[in-house]
Amino acid sequence: MRSYFAILPLQLPNTFADMTLSLLFESVHEHMTAYTTHPFSGMGSAIFNDLQALPDWQSIDIAFFTVGWEASADDPFRKAFYNLRQSNKTYRLADLGCLKAGIDATETRLRLQDVCEFLMQKRITPCIIGHAHELDLGQFMAYQSAGQLVYVLQIDQKLDLQIHGDKPDHLNEIITCQPNFLLGAGLLGYQQYINDTAHLELWQRLGFDLMSLGRMRDHMKEAEPLIRTAHMVSFDVCALKPFFFPPHQPVPFGLTTEEACQIAWYAGKSEHLSSFGLYGYQPQQDPYGLMASLLATMLWYFIEGYDKESKQPDFSGIEFIKYVVPIGTAYSLVFYKHAQSDKWWLELPHEESALLNFGKPRAIPCSYTDYVTACNGVPPDCWVRLSARLN
């Protein structure tokens, strides 16, 4: 029977010249595949049992790994993920294992940075399942080290911009890092009553995107272009409804499990996304495996949405409809709509494309609401914020 997935527990070779990372990982437990309850159609049924076999890196599309707990036969996340049914996708997955912790949090982030940078250089999408949200600083630094412009999307209940003593929060470090390759940033699912108003105002003055939990719930399609814009997605489990996982947060509201999986699917569909992180999972606080099951399902939906051929669309194709919208008498904006998917894009004027070092006009994801706003003679927010960031 054909297996659509190949989940590869990798025993990485020791030649660091090829940036192989065997010393940084604990291998997946050898008995993990024995726990699958679907011997022919489950994710675990496609696992290679020979841990010494290393596939060609070019054959891998997505590599996932965990950070913050040791490899074991009782790993709740892997037991949940390996028991999910296979999709009809044909992408190759690698399970790198558990990233070993460094002597301190800084070294652990540096290790995560090295792994992500290596994978992205190989055009492999890293998916991180980590125990603490501040690990995403390592995810971001992989772009910084490569000198790559990056739009960072956070899904969290609050802006992590606090300073604890002399140590700033991870998001604070991301937006102030020098040299800074931050193209933009967004926060989805925040809750007004637990956020510092000054922080939210600062975020908006910087031209960054904000969408509250309530607005996101009422207008999920408005969140989709922001997710589609992101190069890096960082999801904190604190954004979820607390009564599913009470140890994680003391607030009464949050995203539903269905909304979380929809976000993961949108992220997989993004033409820009090159790394995906799920953070805040601590197995000792998950005695019934509910959180592990949700994170496994979110990864499944990310893979289900994943399109390895996704790239900047060719708007000259017959599947795209072009709309030219005058804004007063000064200039016009050009929108494109995909006839089948109903996705929208806004073409950047020449000046913005030049500032981003694009050789020709490029387009950014937008929504139908942005198009309607422009039709009313008002520049849409997505363009206003991008222009503010660039200028």
Side-chain angles (χ1 to χ4, degrees):
M1 180 177 179
R2 179 179 177 184
S3 291
Y4 291 99
F5 281 96
I7 306 175
L8 314 175
L10 298 183
Q11 180 69 37
L12 304 179
N14 293 318
T15 53
F16 206 82
D18 191 31
M19 193 50 191
T20 51
L21 306 171
S22 59
L23 297 178
L24 298 183
F25 283 97
E26 291 182 85
S27 297
V28 177
H29 195 277
E30 59 183 336
H31 297 303
M32 184 59 64
T33 56
Y35 290 98
T36 180
T37 56
H38 310 299
F40 299 108
S41 59
M43 299 287 282
S45 65
I47 294 176
F48 285 82
N49 292 321
D50 182 3
L51 300 184
Q52 300 298 322
L54 174 69
D56 180 2
W57 283 111
Q58 302 306 317
S59 69
I60 303 300
D61 299 307
I62 300 171
F64 68 92
F65 58 94
T66 55
V67 189
W69 62 93
E70 296 180 354
S72 75
D74 294 321
D75 185 326
F77 168 76
R78 286 184 171 83
K79 287 175 74 172
F81 183 68
Y82 283 23
N83 275 297
L84 297 177
R85 299 280 186 167
Q86 294 179 28
S87 171
N88 61 357
K89 298 287 185 175
T90 57
Y91 307 130
R92 299 285 299 273
L93 281 77
D95 184 350
L96 301 184
C98 303
L99 184 68
K100 296 176 182 177
I103 58 174
D104 56 22
T106 298
E107 184 177 328
T108 301
R109 287 198 299 267
L110 288 172
R111 291 180 177 188
L112 192 150
Q113 172 188 333
D114 288 340
V115 174
C116 289
E117 185 176 358
F118 165 69
L119 293 172
M120 290 190 292
Q121 285 175 349
K122 298 289 187 181
R123 302 183 66 81
I124 299 169
T125 301
C127 294
I128 308 105
I129 301 91
H131 72 291
H133 197 190
E134 56 264 26
L135 287 167
D136 73 346
L137 181 57
Q139 184 183 354
F140 168 76
M141 291 303 295
Y143 295 91
Q144 187 85 355
S145 178
Q148 181 179 340
L149 286 171
V150 54
Y151 182 103
V152 175
L153 183 65
Q154 301 267 320
I155 296 93
D156 202 346
Q157 63 178 354
K158 64 186 299 186
L159 271 172
D160 293 328
L161 291 177
Q162 292 76 20
I163 297 179
H164 308 281
D166 60 350
K167 187 179 185 307
D169 266 340
H170 61 112
L171 191 52
N172 207 319
E173 293 193 62
I174 286 173
I175 67 173
T176 60
C177 185
Q178 295 296 329
N180 199 300
F181 291 89
L182 190 64
L183 176 61
L187 176 68
L188 299 183
Y190 80 93
Q191 300 182 47
Q192 179 79 43
Y193 62 94
I194 58 172
N195 277 275
D196 189 321
T197 302
H199 289 164
L200 296 175
E201 291 175 350
L202 171 63
W203 192 259
Q204 291 180 303
R205 285 201 304 272
L206 291 171
F208 296 156
D209 299 303
L210 268 176
M211 183 173 286
S212 69
L213 175 66
R215 183 173 166 226
M216 190 174 174
R217 179 156 292 150
D218 293 337
H219 305 283
M220 181 60 84
K221 285 191 174 181
E222 295 300 306
E224 185 269 342
L226 294 181
I227 301 170
R228 196 155 37 100
T229 299
H231 302 89
M232 164 186 157
V233 166
S234 172
F235 190 110
D236 189 338
V237 300
C238 284
L240 295 163
K241 274 192 174 181
F243 49 80
F244 287 110
F245 319 107
H248 288 277
Q249 55 170 321
V251 298
F253 306 112
L255 294 167
T256 66
T257 53
E258 293 88 349
E259 289 165 341
C261 289
Q262 188 171 7
I263 289 169
W265 187 80
Y266 280 151
K269 296 292 287 184
S270 169
E271 62 259 32
H272 300 298
L273 188 127
S274 50
S275 71
F276 182 65
L278 301 171
Y279 296 104
Y281 177 59
Q282 300 183 23
Q284 70 274 17
Q285 296 182 350
D286 187 27
Y288 302 108
L290 290 175
M291 178 70 82
S293 179
L294 173 58
L295 295 181
T297 307
M298 289 179 68
L299 179 58
W300 189 94
Y301 271 101
F302 174 82
I303 296 165
E304 176 69 11
Y306 183 77
D307 184 357
K308 64 182 177 182
E309 301 300 329
S310 183
K311 56 185 177 181
Q312 183 74 11
D314 179 7
F315 296 115
S316 63
I318 60 172
E319 67 272 24
F320 287 96
I321 305 171
K322 181 178 180 180
Y323 300 87
V324 180
V325 181
I327 303 295
T329 58
Y331 55 88
S332 297
L333 294 178
V334 178
F335 291 85
Y336 295 95
K337 174 189 172 183
H338 192 275
Q340 283 80 40
S341 68
D342 278 341
K343 290 181 179 179
W344 287 80
W345 289 262
L346 169 61
E347 186 174 270
L348 294 178
H350 176 74
E351 293 79 6
E352 278 77 6
S353 292
L355 286 171
L356 291 172
N357 295 318
F358 295 149
K360 56 183 179 180
R362 293 287 293 270
I364 58 173
C366 68
S367 68
Y368 173 68
T369 301
D370 293 318
Y371 166 71
V372 172
T373 300
C375 288
N376 291 327
V378 180
D381 285 345
C382 61
W383 181 51
V384 172
R385 287 192 298 269
L386 178 62
S387 298
R389 292 197 298 270
L390 295 177
N391 296 303

